[in-house]
Amino acid sequence: MAAGSGEAAERPYELVVFGASGFTGQFVVEEVARTASGGELRGPLRWAVAGRSRNKLQEVLERAAERLGKTALGPEVGVLLCDVGDPASLAAMAKQTRVVLNCVGPFLEGMYLKYNEKAAEKKVYVIGSCGFDSIPADMGVLYTRDKLKGTLTAVESFLTVKTGPEGSCIHDGTWKSAVYGLADQDNLKALRKKIGYSPVPVVGAKLKRRGLVFYSQEFKQYSIPFMGSDVSVVKRSQRYLHSQLQETPVQYGAYVTVGGLGSVMKLMFAGILFLLLVKFSFGRKLLTKYPEFFSAGRFTKKGPTQKQMDGTSFTMTFFGEGYSEGQDPQSGKPNVKICTQVKGPEPGYVATPIAMVQAAVALLEDSAHLPKEGGVYSPGAAFSKTKLIDRLSKRGVEFSVISQPEV
């Protein structure tokens, strides 16, 4: 997601959904349409969809209107044609809007290296990981910190995804990102080295890393480390908040519950096969050609049905520890605990659009509370002072305290 400031206020659109006719893009369009007609914003939202094919974009707008029970979306919704392979068309699209919601491909550390200085110079905010990866985790850690009476020093989160009788699956676009992302691990390490991140100091008792598989007493089932980008995104936010705002950095570990022993065995087998194949180009070809087979039906070329999405939800539970007010976090053991939760609808195509669109609304409506300078930011760094958490809660991605700090 990218947002400009200053003269950008005079542009014809406040928000453009780029890649609107892609699998995720269509759901983002629907969520923008819902937000635009919901009466929560300060004024009418001028917005547009952008992509390669006018016909496909029109179809997406018609589908969104139908889902919202309207005959059509109003004439205030524009259609812009542009193509990733044509930089001039992208520049023309970006010049017409204050915020671009990018639904085209992954968006990580390379952006920081390439564009951080340019973005600062032009007063542009480029914010990555604004979907289910990693807004619930990043904002959840900040929420937990703000609810603890004292100093939060460490948090672990556990993700549980519940499915209905129809089960659930994920579109293979996400699978392809995982295949190429894992194949690119070495480049990512080199990039991080090149950026030269300063280490984030450990405050309070050091958070122990858990094993590859462990039994979680709290959930009475097995858990494994979460493979998404949450840990690295939270670390980026904590580094920024510590170095720029002198806030106490929070250590973080992310896990996902997987069920009983049978599920663990299946997962381990699939995981080993995946890691072996992803190292070779013919293996990557096989993985991307037959996603359904190699993911045991979890990823499909069609993506989930509406019924599957309606029956799926997530809960992310945060267990935090820290030091009560007046206690020095640099000495002694943590003496307060807190448990919080972020709950929401199906993660990939319902919660992700909600997170993206509410992040865009926060950029537009809470601009006075963004970081002073433009740049490439993680969500927690960009939105820690905005009303994003309240906005998300109103739209069904709800943050709550489960148990108050216990000394």
Side-chain angles (χ1 to χ4, degrees):
M1 178 180 341
S5 57
E7 45 82 42
E10 309 310 315
R11 300 178 179 199
Y13 302 108
E14 286 157 309
L15 191 154
V16 167
V17 181
F18 174 48
S21 56
F23 192 80
T24 305
Q26 61 180 332
F27 298 110
V28 175
V29 169
E30 188 186 313
E31 186 58 28
V32 174
R34 192 175 283 113
T35 301
S37 62
E40 295 270 310
L41 304 174
R42 273 188 231 146
L45 182 71
R46 304 185 314 277
W47 64 287
V49 290
R52 281 182 302 203
S53 155
R54 185 176 293 278
N55 286 351
K56 281 186 180 170
L57 293 170
Q58 292 291 6
E59 279 169 23
V60 165
L61 290 175
E62 282 161 23
R63 180 191 174 279
E66 195 183 310
R67 293 269 303 149
L68 267 68
K70 295 180 167 194
T71 45
L73 298 176
E76 73 277 3
V77 183
V79 175
L80 307 175
L81 295 184
C82 58
D83 188 337
V84 171
D86 176 3
S89 73
L90 296 180
M93 175 266 292
K95 278 180 181 154
Q96 295 187 63
T97 181
R98 288 181 65 198
V99 176
V100 176
L101 269 181
N102 177 26
C103 303
V104 183
F107 210 60
L108 294 159
E109 260 94 346
M111 295 296 295
Y112 182 86
L113 207 55
K114 268 188 187 167
Y115 299 113
N116 188 51
E117 284 181 13
K118 284 180 189 162
E121 204 179 291
K122 302 269 187 199
K123 295 197 171 91
V124 170
Y125 296 91
V126 180
I127 306 160
S129 311
C130 283
F132 177 73
D133 277 24
S134 293
I135 278 191
D138 210 4
M139 300 311 289
V141 169
L142 297 182
Y143 177 83
T144 308
R145 178 199 71 179
D146 293 344
K147 293 296 174 192
L148 184 81
K149 292 178 176 65
T151 307
L152 183 73
T153 56
V155 177
E156 288 182 325
S157 70
F158 287 80
L159 169 65
T160 302
V161 178
K162 280 202 178 105
T163 56
E166 303 269 327
S168 79
C169 68
I170 303 167
H171 187 258
D172 80 327
T174 308
W175 174 257
K176 283 178 187 158
S177 298
V179 171
Y180 298 126
L182 266 168
D184 209 35
Q185 276 303 87
D186 294 345
N187 282 341
L188 186 58
K189 280 178 189 156
L191 260 180
R192 285 178 178 162
K193 218 172 179 177
K194 209 170 172 185
I195 292 170
Y197 283 136
S198 54
V200 182
V202 171
V203 176
K206 191 166 167 52
L207 183 63
K208 287 189 183 77
R209 280 177 73 167
R210 309 234 190 184
L212 277 177
V213 180
F214 59 94
Y215 188 76
S216 160
Q217 287 300 339
E218 292 90 351
F219 297 95
K220 299 284 179 273
Q221 53 176 306
Y222 286 92
S223 298
I224 59 171
F226 180 62
M227 297 297 283
S229 58
D230 286 356
V231 171
S232 65
V233 171
V234 168
K235 198 169 190 178
R236 278 185 60 188
S237 293
Q238 294 301 321
R239 181 183 287 111
Y240 171 83
L241 296 170
H242 172 68
S243 62
Q244 300 301 312
L245 305 180
Q246 288 69 56
E247 292 174 6
T248 304
V250 179
Q251 304 166 71
Y252 176 62
Y255 303 96
V256 56
T257 60
V258 293
L261 213 48
S263 307
V264 171
M265 304 304 280
K266 267 193 236 165
L267 256 172
M268 282 178 82
F269 177 74
I272 290 164
L273 190 61
F274 186 91
L275 290 172
L276 283 174
L277 288 172
V278 87
K279 285 188 167 29
F280 308 101
S281 75
F282 79 89
R284 292 194 286 278
K285 272 186 191 143
L286 278 175
L287 286 168
T288 51
K289 199 172 178 186
Y290 305 107
E292 211 156 330
F293 175 77
F294 286 107
S295 69
R298 290 278 176 94
F299 291 83
T300 67
K301 288 187 185 291
K302 281 188 181 151
T305 64
Q306 192 59 50
K307 260 190 172 168
Q308 284 178 320
M309 290 191 286
D310 292 344
T312 305
S313 63
F314 80 89
T315 305
M316 202 178 259
T317 308
F318 297 81
F319 298 99
E321 61 173 35
Y323 296 77
S324 55
E325 285 162 344
Q327 277 287 112
D328 179 10
Q330 301 287 19
S331 60
K333 285 185 174 169
N335 67 339
V336 282
K337 286 183 174 179
I338 184 171
C339 176
T340 63
Q341 218 166 51
V342 181
K343 271 182 153 161
E346 189 279 332
Y349 312 106
V350 186
T352 284
I354 290 171
M356 284 180 75
V357 174
Q358 292 312 314
V361 171
L363 276 172
L364 291 168
E365 304 226 325
D366 306 341
S367 52
H369 304 287
L370 294 171
K372 296 272 182 286
E373 288 186 351
V376 176
Y377 290 99
S378 54
F383 298 120
S384 74
K385 305 285 184 255
T386 68
K387 292 183 184 146
L388 178 58
I389 288 174
D390 296 344
R391 296 180 187 284
L392 289 167
S393 288
K394 277 183 190 156
R395 277 294 300 121
V397 176
E398 295 168 5
F399 292 66
S400 61
V401 176
I402 300 301
S403 68
Q404 279 294 355
E406 302 141 23
V407 178

